[in-house]
Amino acid sequence: MLIDATKKNCKGVITELEKAMAGLKSGDNVETIVYGIPNKMDVYAWARRKGHRIESEQRDGANFRITVSKGTPTS
Amino acid sequence: MMLMVSVQNLAEAREAVEGNADIVDVKNLDEIFIGANYPPVIKEVREAFPKERHVSVTLGSVPEAVGTVALAVYGAAVLKATSVKVGFVNMSYDTALRTLKECKKALKGFDTKLIAATFADSHLYNGIDPKLVVKLAKESESDGILIDTLTKDGRNLFDFMDEPTLKSLTDEAKDLGMSTALSGALKISNFDTLVRINPDIVGVRGAVCKGEDRYNGRVDAKAVANVKNELDMRVEGKIEVFNNTK
């Protein structure tokens, strides 16, 4: 699954990632492309908070393609 | 990160759009604290730009009159505002929540989004704790949050709330699927901190007015373009604001 979050929107990439993860099982991956370093940082921080793992990151100018693996629910 | 510029009329809205603002926010600085502008002004601004250009409406700090506020929100929706911001100062949490719930009902069937707003300097006016904004928005099923300031004496958002607090509130709201906006006499010198917090929307007025005078100055396209560029350079990493980017 790929979420292209490079288009500007009032609700950012985290909302889209939350939605995507809800339909996945532990170990499944979701890819996202985000614009700008703050959004990339948000994805990393969100993954830490939620127990997901960053699998890879590729930079293309100001865009970052990040693969996140869904973690195991802790509760 | 989207740049929102507060405007008082169509001429200022045109300057904001020429400077590439993502959102024009129509408000009325003549009313106590901040108030709503007149429906013909909002209508004129909305109709001047395509639907893709966000035109938001600020109601400012609303009175303790639930039905009246809900009707004002309904008016913003009829005028096709992208969003309408409802702010609270001297009001109990329960009344603020009831107000937002009625506003949400009033927006049923419209595309207009409901934004719950509190003020970082609310304590100076014996007002509601600004940190309750996420709880308020969540319980009322609002679409987003805004934290602004009322004091316009040179102090700004960061004189009243620190970076970790604002970051925490912003992250919490994002996790709940809400849009997040920060405003309050923000200047370019605040942009490093703002970009680290990363709200979806940054609101300015004084910083894009001639002479940086939010009341007597007028929104200037060149100043808007400059502010937008300063923001984008930080977002794109051309100006480094993070110590560690992992």
Side-chain angles (χ1 to χ4, degrees), chain A residues 8 10-12 14-15 35-42 44 46 49 57 59, chain B residues 1 54 167 171 174-175 177 179 195 198 200 228 235-237 242 244-246:
Chain A
K8 288 197 171 180
C10 288
K11 289 186 184 178
I14 301 304
T15 302
Y35 167 76
I37 291 172
N39 285 326
K40 180 196 111 164
M41 301 291 283
D42 261 10
Y44 275 75
W46 166 81
R49 286 197 302 276
E57 174 198 313
R59 183 169 186 167
Chain B
M1 197 177 299
H54 292 203
K167 179 67 178 163
D171 286 347
K174 284 181 179 178
D175 282 357
S179 71
V195 168
N198 196 26
D200 300 301
K228 174 86 170 159
V235 169
E236 292 172 7
F242 292 96
N244 177 0
T245 56
K246 287 286 181 188

PDB file of all heavy atoms in Angstrom, chain A residues 8 10-12 14-15 35-42 44 46 49 57 59, chain B residues 1 54 167 171 174-175 177 179 195 198 200 228 235-237 242 244-246:
ATOM      1  N   LYS A   8      -0.702  18.986  -0.466  1.00  0.00           N
ATOM      2  CA  LYS A   8      -0.992  19.701   0.770  1.00  0.00           C
ATOM      3  C   LYS A   8      -2.441  19.498   1.200  1.00  0.00           C
ATOM      4  O   LYS A   8      -3.345  19.525   0.386  1.00  0.00           O
ATOM      5  CB  LYS A   8      -0.712  21.182   0.586  1.00  0.00           C
ATOM      6  CG  LYS A   8       0.764  21.446   0.523  1.00  0.00           C
ATOM      7  CD  LYS A   8       1.043  22.883   0.745  1.00  0.00           C
ATOM      8  CE  LYS A   8       2.524  23.097   0.895  1.00  0.00           C
ATOM      9  NZ  LYS A   8       2.858  24.485   1.118  1.00  0.00           N
ATOM     10  N   CYS A  10      -5.084  19.936   4.901  1.00  0.00           N
ATOM     11  CA  CYS A  10      -5.171  20.379   6.295  1.00  0.00           C
ATOM     12  C   CYS A  10      -4.868  19.239   7.257  1.00  0.00           C
ATOM     13  O   CYS A  10      -4.275  19.432   8.298  1.00  0.00           O
ATOM     14  CB  CYS A  10      -6.551  20.936   6.592  1.00  0.00           C
ATOM     15  SG  CYS A  10      -6.817  22.525   5.833  1.00  0.00           S
ATOM     16  N   LYS A  11      -5.328  18.052   6.910  1.00  0.00           N
ATOM     17  CA  LYS A  11      -5.023  16.904   7.746  1.00  0.00           C
ATOM     18  C   LYS A  11      -3.813  16.218   7.136  1.00  0.00           C
ATOM     19  O   LYS A  11      -3.829  15.817   5.988  1.00  0.00           O
ATOM     20  CB  LYS A  11      -6.211  15.950   7.798  1.00  0.00           C
ATOM     21  CG  LYS A  11      -7.364  16.514   8.605  1.00  0.00           C
ATOM     22  CD  LYS A  11      -8.451  15.499   8.761  1.00  0.00           C
ATOM     23  CE  LYS A  11      -9.631  16.109   9.494  1.00  0.00           C
ATOM     24  NZ  LYS A  11     -10.738  15.173   9.635  1.00  0.00           N
ATOM     25  N   GLY A  12      -2.800  16.053   7.910  1.00  0.00           N
ATOM     26  CA  GLY A  12      -1.534  15.572   7.382  1.00  0.00           C
ATOM     27  C   GLY A  12      -1.459  14.068   7.226  1.00  0.00           C
ATOM     28  O   GLY A  12      -2.457  13.353   7.299  1.00  0.00           O
ATOM     29  N   ILE A  14      -0.292  11.726   9.105  1.00  0.00           N
ATOM     30  CA  ILE A  14      -0.554  10.820  10.229  1.00  0.00           C
ATOM     31  C   ILE A  14      -1.980  10.277  10.180  1.00  0.00           C
ATOM     32  O   ILE A  14      -2.216   9.099  10.439  1.00  0.00           O
ATOM     33  CB  ILE A  14      -0.281  11.534  11.577  1.00  0.00           C
ATOM     34  CG1 ILE A  14       1.184  12.010  11.634  1.00  0.00           C
ATOM     35  CG2 ILE A  14      -0.596  10.628  12.760  1.00  0.00           C
ATOM     36  CD1 ILE A  14       2.219  10.932  11.426  1.00  0.00           C
ATOM     37  N   THR A  15      -2.910  11.135   9.811  1.00  0.00           N
ATOM     38  CA  THR A  15      -4.304  10.692   9.688  1.00  0.00           C
ATOM     39  C   THR A  15      -4.413   9.558   8.671  1.00  0.00           C
ATOM     40  O   THR A  15      -5.082   8.539   8.916  1.00  0.00           O
ATOM     41  CB  THR A  15      -5.189  11.871   9.230  1.00  0.00           C
ATOM     42  OG1 THR A  15      -5.054  12.920  10.171  1.00  0.00           O
ATOM     43  CG2 THR A  15      -6.641  11.470   9.127  1.00  0.00           C
ATOM     44  N   TYR A  35       6.216  15.160   2.053  1.00  0.00           N
ATOM     45  CA  TYR A  35       6.968  16.348   1.640  1.00  0.00           C
ATOM     46  C   TYR A  35       7.566  17.031   2.871  1.00  0.00           C
ATOM     47  O   TYR A  35       6.845  17.384   3.803  1.00  0.00           O
ATOM     48  CB  TYR A  35       6.032  17.312   0.904  1.00  0.00           C
ATOM     49  CG  TYR A  35       6.602  18.695   0.709  1.00  0.00           C
ATOM     50  CD1 TYR A  35       7.560  18.950  -0.261  1.00  0.00           C
ATOM     51  CD2 TYR A  35       6.191  19.753   1.522  1.00  0.00           C
ATOM     52  CE1 TYR A  35       8.082  20.221  -0.433  1.00  0.00           C
ATOM     53  CE2 TYR A  35       6.708  21.029   1.357  1.00  0.00           C
ATOM     54  CZ  TYR A  35       7.652  21.248   0.373  1.00  0.00           C
ATOM     55  OH  TYR A  35       8.178  22.508   0.217  1.00  0.00           O
ATOM     56  N   GLY A  36       8.874  17.180   2.867  1.00  0.00           N
ATOM     57  CA  GLY A  36       9.519  17.984   3.901  1.00  0.00           C
ATOM     58  C   GLY A  36       9.987  17.199   5.113  1.00  0.00           C
ATOM     59  O   GLY A  36       9.433  16.162   5.468  1.00  0.00           O
ATOM     60  N   ILE A  37      11.026  17.750   5.730  1.00  0.00           N
ATOM     61  CA  ILE A  37      11.626  17.093   6.893  1.00  0.00           C
ATOM     62  C   ILE A  37      10.670  17.025   8.093  1.00  0.00           C
ATOM     63  O   ILE A  37      10.606  15.986   8.760  1.00  0.00           O
ATOM     64  CB  ILE A  37      12.950  17.805   7.259  1.00  0.00           C
ATOM     65  CG1 ILE A  37      13.965  17.524   6.147  1.00  0.00           C
ATOM     66  CG2 ILE A  37      13.489  17.341   8.603  1.00  0.00           C
ATOM     67  CD1 ILE A  37      15.249  18.303   6.239  1.00  0.00           C
ATOM     68  N   PRO A  38       9.903  18.056   8.399  1.00  0.00           N
ATOM     69  CA  PRO A  38       9.004  17.940   9.569  1.00  0.00           C
ATOM     70  C   PRO A  38       8.004  16.798   9.436  1.00  0.00           C
ATOM     71  O   PRO A  38       7.710  16.121  10.428  1.00  0.00           O
ATOM     72  CB  PRO A  38       8.284  19.295   9.607  1.00  0.00           C
ATOM     73  CG  PRO A  38       9.148  20.216   8.838  1.00  0.00           C
ATOM     74  CD  PRO A  38       9.840  19.396   7.807  1.00  0.00           C
ATOM     75  N   ASN A  39       7.498  16.573   8.225  1.00  0.00           N
ATOM     76  CA  ASN A  39       6.550  15.475   8.046  1.00  0.00           C
ATOM     77  C   ASN A  39       7.255  14.117   8.174  1.00  0.00           C
ATOM     78  O   ASN A  39       6.688  13.164   8.715  1.00  0.00           O
ATOM     79  CB  ASN A  39       5.839  15.584   6.691  1.00  0.00           C
ATOM     80  CG  ASN A  39       4.792  16.675   6.708  1.00  0.00           C
ATOM     81  OD1 ASN A  39       4.164  16.919   7.723  1.00  0.00           O
ATOM     82  ND2 ASN A  39       4.612  17.352   5.588  1.00  0.00           N
ATOM     83  N   LYS A  40       8.466  14.060   7.672  1.00  0.00           N
ATOM     84  CA  LYS A  40       9.258  12.835   7.859  1.00  0.00           C
ATOM     85  C   LYS A  40       9.462  12.575   9.355  1.00  0.00           C
ATOM     86  O   LYS A  40       9.279  11.450   9.838  1.00  0.00           O
ATOM     87  CB  LYS A  40      10.624  12.992   7.172  1.00  0.00           C
ATOM     88  CG  LYS A  40      11.508  11.776   7.317  1.00  0.00           C
ATOM     89  CD  LYS A  40      12.939  12.078   6.986  1.00  0.00           C
ATOM     90  CE  LYS A  40      13.778  12.004   8.242  1.00  0.00           C
ATOM     91  NZ  LYS A  40      15.212  11.908   7.978  1.00  0.00           N
ATOM     92  N   MET A  41       9.821  13.621  10.083  1.00  0.00           N
ATOM     93  CA  MET A  41      10.036  13.477  11.536  1.00  0.00           C
ATOM     94  C   MET A  41       8.759  13.029  12.233  1.00  0.00           C
ATOM     95  O   MET A  41       8.797  12.240  13.181  1.00  0.00           O
ATOM     96  CB  MET A  41      10.497  14.811  12.123  1.00  0.00           C
ATOM     97  CG  MET A  41      11.764  15.352  11.529  1.00  0.00           C
ATOM     98  SD  MET A  41      13.200  14.392  11.960  1.00  0.00           S
ATOM     99  CE  MET A  41      13.449  14.959  13.621  1.00  0.00           C
ATOM    100  N   ASP A  42       7.634  13.551  11.753  1.00  0.00           N
ATOM    101  CA  ASP A  42       6.337  13.159  12.324  1.00  0.00           C
ATOM    102  C   ASP A  42       6.099  11.661  12.154  1.00  0.00           C
ATOM    103  O   ASP A  42       5.582  10.999  13.054  1.00  0.00           O
ATOM    104  CB  ASP A  42       5.195  13.918  11.623  1.00  0.00           C
ATOM    105  CG  ASP A  42       4.739  15.120  12.426  1.00  0.00           C
ATOM    106  OD1 ASP A  42       5.416  15.479  13.405  1.00  0.00           O
ATOM    107  OD2 ASP A  42       3.697  15.710  12.057  1.00  0.00           O
ATOM    108  N   TYR A  44       8.349   9.287  11.831  1.00  0.00           N
ATOM    109  CA  TYR A  44       9.243   8.556  12.744  1.00  0.00           C
ATOM    110  C   TYR A  44       8.698   8.598  14.179  1.00  0.00           C
ATOM    111  O   TYR A  44       8.672   7.578  14.875  1.00  0.00           O
ATOM    112  CB  TYR A  44      10.658   9.154  12.697  1.00  0.00           C
ATOM    113  CG  TYR A  44      11.524   8.598  11.580  1.00  0.00           C
ATOM    114  CD1 TYR A  44      11.314   8.986  10.260  1.00  0.00           C
ATOM    115  CD2 TYR A  44      12.533   7.694  11.843  1.00  0.00           C
ATOM    116  CE1 TYR A  44      12.099   8.481   9.231  1.00  0.00           C
ATOM    117  CE2 TYR A  44      13.327   7.182  10.806  1.00  0.00           C
ATOM    118  CZ  TYR A  44      13.107   7.576   9.513  1.00  0.00           C
ATOM    119  OH  TYR A  44      13.878   7.077   8.497  1.00  0.00           O
ATOM    120  N   TRP A  46       5.648   9.215  15.205  1.00  0.00           N
ATOM    121  CA  TRP A  46       4.378   8.472  15.272  1.00  0.00           C
ATOM    122  C   TRP A  46       4.647   6.966  15.344  1.00  0.00           C
ATOM    123  O   TRP A  46       4.032   6.250  16.138  1.00  0.00           O
ATOM    124  CB  TRP A  46       3.537   8.823  14.042  1.00  0.00           C
ATOM    125  CG  TRP A  46       2.376   7.919  13.803  1.00  0.00           C
ATOM    126  CD1 TRP A  46       1.158   7.957  14.402  1.00  0.00           C
ATOM    127  CD2 TRP A  46       2.346   6.824  12.876  1.00  0.00           C
ATOM    128  NE1 TRP A  46       0.360   6.948  13.909  1.00  0.00           N
ATOM    129  CE2 TRP A  46       1.064   6.247  12.978  1.00  0.00           C
ATOM    130  CE3 TRP A  46       3.257   6.284  11.978  1.00  0.00           C
ATOM    131  CZ2 TRP A  46       0.687   5.151  12.206  1.00  0.00           C
ATOM    132  CZ3 TRP A  46       2.890   5.196  11.215  1.00  0.00           C
ATOM    133  CH2 TRP A  46       1.607   4.643  11.335  1.00  0.00           C
ATOM    134  N   ARG A  49       5.739   6.091  18.791  1.00  0.00           N
ATOM    135  CA  ARG A  49       4.623   6.118  19.757  1.00  0.00           C
ATOM    136  C   ARG A  49       3.728   4.904  19.615  1.00  0.00           C
ATOM    137  O   ARG A  49       3.194   4.390  20.589  1.00  0.00           O
ATOM    138  CB  ARG A  49       3.761   7.379  19.543  1.00  0.00           C
ATOM    139  CG  ARG A  49       4.356   8.670  20.013  1.00  0.00           C
ATOM    140  CD  ARG A  49       3.290   9.757  20.152  1.00  0.00           C
ATOM    141  NE  ARG A  49       2.553  10.052  18.948  1.00  0.00           N
ATOM    142  CZ  ARG A  49       2.954  10.882  17.991  1.00  0.00           C
ATOM    143  NH1 ARG A  49       4.108  11.487  18.094  1.00  0.00           N
ATOM    144  NH2 ARG A  49       2.204  11.112  16.927  1.00  0.00           N
ATOM    145  N   GLU A  57      14.030   4.297   4.179  1.00  0.00           N
ATOM    146  CA  GLU A  57      13.758   5.695   3.832  1.00  0.00           C
ATOM    147  C   GLU A  57      14.593   6.056   2.611  1.00  0.00           C
ATOM    148  O   GLU A  57      15.776   5.779   2.559  1.00  0.00           O
ATOM    149  CB  GLU A  57      14.144   6.607   5.000  1.00  0.00           C
ATOM    150  CG  GLU A  57      14.020   8.088   4.659  1.00  0.00           C
ATOM    151  CD  GLU A  57      14.797   8.969   5.644  1.00  0.00           C
ATOM    152  OE1 GLU A  57      14.671   8.768   6.868  1.00  0.00           O
ATOM    153  OE2 GLU A  57      15.534   9.847   5.153  1.00  0.00           O
ATOM    154  N   ARG A  59      15.297   9.426  -0.031  1.00  0.00           N
ATOM    155  CA  ARG A  59      15.041  10.857  -0.227  1.00  0.00           C
ATOM    156  C   ARG A  59      15.105  11.194  -1.711  1.00  0.00           C
ATOM    157  O   ARG A  59      15.984  10.724  -2.433  1.00  0.00           O
ATOM    158  CB  ARG A  59      16.078  11.683   0.531  1.00  0.00           C
ATOM    159  CG  ARG A  59      15.823  13.170   0.422  1.00  0.00           C
ATOM    160  CD  ARG A  59      16.674  13.984   1.365  1.00  0.00           C
ATOM    161  NE  ARG A  59      16.252  15.394   1.287  1.00  0.00           N
ATOM    162  CZ  ARG A  59      16.618  16.323   2.147  1.00  0.00           C
ATOM    163  NH1 ARG A  59      17.403  16.013   3.152  1.00  0.00           N
ATOM    164  NH2 ARG A  59      16.195  17.565   2.018  1.00  0.00           N
TER     165      ARG A  59
ATOM    166  N   MET B   1       3.188  21.910   5.368  1.00  0.00           N
ATOM    167  CA  MET B   1       2.687  22.939   6.280  1.00  0.00           C
ATOM    168  C   MET B   1       2.066  24.074   5.480  1.00  0.00           C
ATOM    169  O   MET B   1       2.704  24.608   4.576  1.00  0.00           O
ATOM    170  CB  MET B   1       3.843  23.461   7.141  1.00  0.00           C
ATOM    171  CG  MET B   1       3.407  24.199   8.370  1.00  0.00           C
ATOM    172  SD  MET B   1       4.833  24.693   9.360  1.00  0.00           S
ATOM    173  CE  MET B   1       5.563  23.119   9.767  1.00  0.00           C
ATOM    174  N   HIS B  54      -8.471  27.595   0.023  1.00  0.00           N
ATOM    175  CA  HIS B  54      -9.170  27.550   1.302  1.00  0.00           C
ATOM    176  C   HIS B  54      -9.496  28.960   1.804  1.00  0.00           C
ATOM    177  O   HIS B  54      -8.612  29.811   1.873  1.00  0.00           O
ATOM    178  CB  HIS B  54      -8.323  26.838   2.347  1.00  0.00           C
ATOM    179  CG  HIS B  54      -8.143  25.374   2.074  1.00  0.00           C
ATOM    180  ND1 HIS B  54      -7.828  24.461   3.054  1.00  0.00           N
ATOM    181  CD2 HIS B  54      -8.264  24.657   0.939  1.00  0.00           C
ATOM    182  CE1 HIS B  54      -7.754  23.261   2.528  1.00  0.00           C
ATOM    183  NE2 HIS B  54      -8.001  23.346   1.238  1.00  0.00           N
ATOM    184  N   LYS B 167       4.005  20.838  21.004  1.00  0.00           N
ATOM    185  CA  LYS B 167       4.304  19.635  20.206  1.00  0.00           C
ATOM    186  C   LYS B 167       3.426  18.473  20.659  1.00  0.00           C
ATOM    187  O   LYS B 167       2.867  17.737  19.837  1.00  0.00           O
ATOM    188  CB  LYS B 167       5.794  19.293  20.349  1.00  0.00           C
ATOM    189  CG  LYS B 167       6.235  18.041  19.592  1.00  0.00           C
ATOM    190  CD  LYS B 167       6.159  18.240  18.092  1.00  0.00           C
ATOM    191  CE  LYS B 167       6.639  17.012  17.337  1.00  0.00           C
ATOM    192  NZ  LYS B 167       6.190  17.044  15.921  1.00  0.00           N
ATOM    193  N   ASP B 171       0.719  16.650  18.289  1.00  0.00           N
ATOM    194  CA  ASP B 171       0.821  15.216  17.994  1.00  0.00           C
ATOM    195  C   ASP B 171      -0.439  14.467  18.420  1.00  0.00           C
ATOM    196  O   ASP B 171      -0.924  13.584  17.707  1.00  0.00           O
ATOM    197  CB  ASP B 171       2.042  14.609  18.701  1.00  0.00           C
ATOM    198  CG  ASP B 171       3.355  14.999  18.035  1.00  0.00           C
ATOM    199  OD1 ASP B 171       3.323  15.522  16.908  1.00  0.00           O
ATOM    200  OD2 ASP B 171       4.417  14.792  18.656  1.00  0.00           O
ATOM    201  N   LYS B 174      -3.170  15.145  15.948  1.00  0.00           N
ATOM    202  CA  LYS B 174      -2.911  14.452  14.672  1.00  0.00           C
ATOM    203  C   LYS B 174      -3.238  12.967  14.783  1.00  0.00           C
ATOM    204  O   LYS B 174      -3.803  12.380  13.863  1.00  0.00           O
ATOM    205  CB  LYS B 174      -1.446  14.622  14.267  1.00  0.00           C
ATOM    206  CG  LYS B 174      -1.108  15.983  13.699  1.00  0.00           C
ATOM    207  CD  LYS B 174       0.357  16.026  13.312  1.00  0.00           C
ATOM    208  CE  LYS B 174       0.720  17.367  12.706  1.00  0.00           C
ATOM    209  NZ  LYS B 174       2.147  17.444  12.367  1.00  0.00           N
ATOM    210  N   ASP B 175      -2.863  12.377  15.918  1.00  0.00           N
ATOM    211  CA  ASP B 175      -3.165  10.952  16.111  1.00  0.00           C
ATOM    212  C   ASP B 175      -4.666  10.690  16.096  1.00  0.00           C
ATOM    213  O   ASP B 175      -5.110   9.588  15.788  1.00  0.00           O
ATOM    214  CB  ASP B 175      -2.586  10.463  17.448  1.00  0.00           C
ATOM    215  CG  ASP B 175      -1.080  10.217  17.365  1.00  0.00           C
ATOM    216  OD1 ASP B 175      -0.505  10.363  16.274  1.00  0.00           O
ATOM    217  OD2 ASP B 175      -0.479   9.890  18.402  1.00  0.00           O
ATOM    218  N   GLY B 177      -6.658  12.269  14.125  1.00  0.00           N
ATOM    219  CA  GLY B 177      -7.138  12.568  12.780  1.00  0.00           C
ATOM    220  C   GLY B 177      -7.605  13.997  12.584  1.00  0.00           C
ATOM    221  O   GLY B 177      -8.346  14.299  11.647  1.00  0.00           O
ATOM    222  N   SER B 179      -6.971  18.202  12.032  1.00  0.00           N
ATOM    223  CA  SER B 179      -6.016  19.178  11.520  1.00  0.00           C
ATOM    224  C   SER B 179      -5.547  20.021  12.706  1.00  0.00           C
ATOM    225  O   SER B 179      -6.265  20.178  13.697  1.00  0.00           O
ATOM    226  CB  SER B 179      -6.648  20.054  10.443  1.00  0.00           C
ATOM    227  OG  SER B 179      -7.588  20.933  11.020  1.00  0.00           O
ATOM    228  N   VAL B 195       8.445  24.849  12.874  1.00  0.00           N
ATOM    229  CA  VAL B 195       8.673  23.727  11.959  1.00  0.00           C
ATOM    230  C   VAL B 195       8.989  22.455  12.747  1.00  0.00           C
ATOM    231  O   VAL B 195       8.591  21.359  12.346  1.00  0.00           O
ATOM    232  CB  VAL B 195       9.765  24.091  10.924  1.00  0.00           C
ATOM    233  CG1 VAL B 195      10.227  22.866  10.154  1.00  0.00           C
ATOM    234  CG2 VAL B 195       9.224  25.142   9.954  1.00  0.00           C
ATOM    235  N   ASN B 198       5.634  21.330  13.823  1.00  0.00           N
ATOM    236  CA  ASN B 198       4.964  20.862  12.598  1.00  0.00           C
ATOM    237  C   ASN B 198       3.440  20.809  12.667  1.00  0.00           C
ATOM    238  O   ASN B 198       2.836  19.758  12.417  1.00  0.00           O
ATOM    239  CB  ASN B 198       5.508  19.490  12.175  1.00  0.00           C
ATOM    240  CG  ASN B 198       5.139  19.152  10.741  1.00  0.00           C
ATOM    241  OD1 ASN B 198       4.923  20.045   9.908  1.00  0.00           O
ATOM    242  ND2 ASN B 198       5.058  17.863  10.424  1.00  0.00           N
ATOM    243  N   ASP B 200      -0.211  21.462  11.020  1.00  0.00           N
ATOM    244  CA  ASP B 200      -0.601  21.425   9.597  1.00  0.00           C
ATOM    245  C   ASP B 200      -0.712  22.840   9.035  1.00  0.00           C
ATOM    246  O   ASP B 200      -0.501  23.054   7.841  1.00  0.00           O
ATOM    247  CB  ASP B 200      -1.950  20.704   9.449  1.00  0.00           C
ATOM    248  CG  ASP B 200      -1.877  19.278   9.954  1.00  0.00           C
ATOM    249  OD1 ASP B 200      -1.052  18.515   9.420  1.00  0.00           O
ATOM    250  OD2 ASP B 200      -2.609  18.934  10.900  1.00  0.00           O
ATOM    251  N   LYS B 228       6.258  32.918   3.301  1.00  0.00           N
ATOM    252  CA  LYS B 228       6.031  31.579   2.729  1.00  0.00           C
ATOM    253  C   LYS B 228       7.368  30.927   2.369  1.00  0.00           C
ATOM    254  O   LYS B 228       7.596  29.743   2.636  1.00  0.00           O
ATOM    255  CB  LYS B 228       5.150  31.738   1.485  1.00  0.00           C
ATOM    256  CG  LYS B 228       4.932  30.493   0.680  1.00  0.00           C
ATOM    257  CD  LYS B 228       3.793  29.689   1.194  1.00  0.00           C
ATOM    258  CE  LYS B 228       3.447  28.576   0.240  1.00  0.00           C
ATOM    259  NZ  LYS B 228       2.706  27.534   0.921  1.00  0.00           N
ATOM    260  N   VAL B 235      11.038  23.779   5.949  1.00  0.00           N
ATOM    261  CA  VAL B 235      10.368  22.492   5.715  1.00  0.00           C
ATOM    262  C   VAL B 235      11.218  21.616   4.794  1.00  0.00           C
ATOM    263  O   VAL B 235      11.360  20.404   4.998  1.00  0.00           O
ATOM    264  CB  VAL B 235       8.966  22.722   5.103  1.00  0.00           C
ATOM    265  CG1 VAL B 235       8.364  21.418   4.603  1.00  0.00           C
ATOM    266  CG2 VAL B 235       8.046  23.364   6.135  1.00  0.00           C
ATOM    267  N   GLU B 236      11.834  22.225   3.787  1.00  0.00           N
ATOM    268  CA  GLU B 236      12.620  21.459   2.807  1.00  0.00           C
ATOM    269  C   GLU B 236      14.043  21.173   3.296  1.00  0.00           C
ATOM    270  O   GLU B 236      14.809  20.500   2.604  1.00  0.00           O
ATOM    271  CB  GLU B 236      12.661  22.232   1.483  1.00  0.00           C
ATOM    272  CG  GLU B 236      11.297  22.286   0.811  1.00  0.00           C
ATOM    273  CD  GLU B 236      11.269  23.206  -0.398  1.00  0.00           C
ATOM    274  OE1 GLU B 236      12.347  23.709  -0.794  1.00  0.00           O
ATOM    275  OE2 GLU B 236      10.173  23.415  -0.938  1.00  0.00           O
ATOM    276  N   GLY B 237      14.414  21.687   4.452  1.00  0.00           N
ATOM    277  CA  GLY B 237      15.738  21.419   4.992  1.00  0.00           C
ATOM    278  C   GLY B 237      16.813  22.347   4.481  1.00  0.00           C
ATOM    279  O   GLY B 237      18.001  22.139   4.746  1.00  0.00           O
ATOM    280  N   PHE B 242      16.446  21.026  12.820  1.00  0.00           N
ATOM    281  CA  PHE B 242      16.488  19.838  13.678  1.00  0.00           C
ATOM    282  C   PHE B 242      17.939  19.482  13.994  1.00  0.00           C
ATOM    283  O   PHE B 242      18.800  19.574  13.127  1.00  0.00           O
ATOM    284  CB  PHE B 242      15.843  18.641  12.970  1.00  0.00           C
ATOM    285  CG  PHE B 242      14.367  18.778  12.762  1.00  0.00           C
ATOM    286  CD1 PHE B 242      13.862  19.256  11.555  1.00  0.00           C
ATOM    287  CD2 PHE B 242      13.473  18.428  13.758  1.00  0.00           C
ATOM    288  CE1 PHE B 242      12.500  19.384  11.352  1.00  0.00           C
ATOM    289  CE2 PHE B 242      12.102  18.548  13.557  1.00  0.00           C
ATOM    290  CZ  PHE B 242      11.612  19.028  12.356  1.00  0.00           C
ATOM    291  N   ASN B 244      18.701  16.405  15.016  1.00  0.00           N
ATOM    292  CA  ASN B 244      18.816  15.007  14.611  1.00  0.00           C
ATOM    293  C   ASN B 244      17.572  14.677  13.791  1.00  0.00           C
ATOM    294  O   ASN B 244      16.463  14.828  14.279  1.00  0.00           O
ATOM    295  CB  ASN B 244      18.883  14.128  15.873  1.00  0.00           C
ATOM    296  CG  ASN B 244      18.939  12.665  15.539  1.00  0.00           C
ATOM    297  OD1 ASN B 244      18.929  12.274  14.368  1.00  0.00           O
ATOM    298  ND2 ASN B 244      19.007  11.837  16.570  1.00  0.00           N
ATOM    299  N   THR B 245      17.756  14.244  12.560  1.00  0.00           N
ATOM    300  CA  THR B 245      16.592  14.040  11.692  1.00  0.00           C
ATOM    301  C   THR B 245      16.147  12.580  11.619  1.00  0.00           C
ATOM    302  O   THR B 245      15.541  12.166  10.647  1.00  0.00           O
ATOM    303  CB  THR B 245      16.868  14.572  10.274  1.00  0.00           C
ATOM    304  OG1 THR B 245      18.040  13.938   9.765  1.00  0.00           O
ATOM    305  CG2 THR B 245      17.043  16.071  10.272  1.00  0.00           C
ATOM    306  N   LYS B 246      16.462  11.789  12.609  1.00  0.00           N
ATOM    307  CA  LYS B 246      15.934  10.414  12.673  1.00  0.00           C
ATOM    308  C   LYS B 246      14.953  10.300  13.836  1.00  0.00           C
ATOM    309  O   LYS B 246      15.115  10.951  14.849  1.00  0.00           O
ATOM    310  CB  LYS B 246      17.055   9.396  12.846  1.00  0.00           C
ATOM    311  CG  LYS B 246      17.883   9.205  11.586  1.00  0.00           C
ATOM    312  CD  LYS B 246      17.134   8.408  10.543  1.00  0.00           C
ATOM    313  CE  LYS B 246      17.995   8.195   9.291  1.00  0.00           C
ATOM    314  NZ  LYS B 246      17.242   7.589   8.194  1.00  0.00           N
TER     315      LYS B 246
END
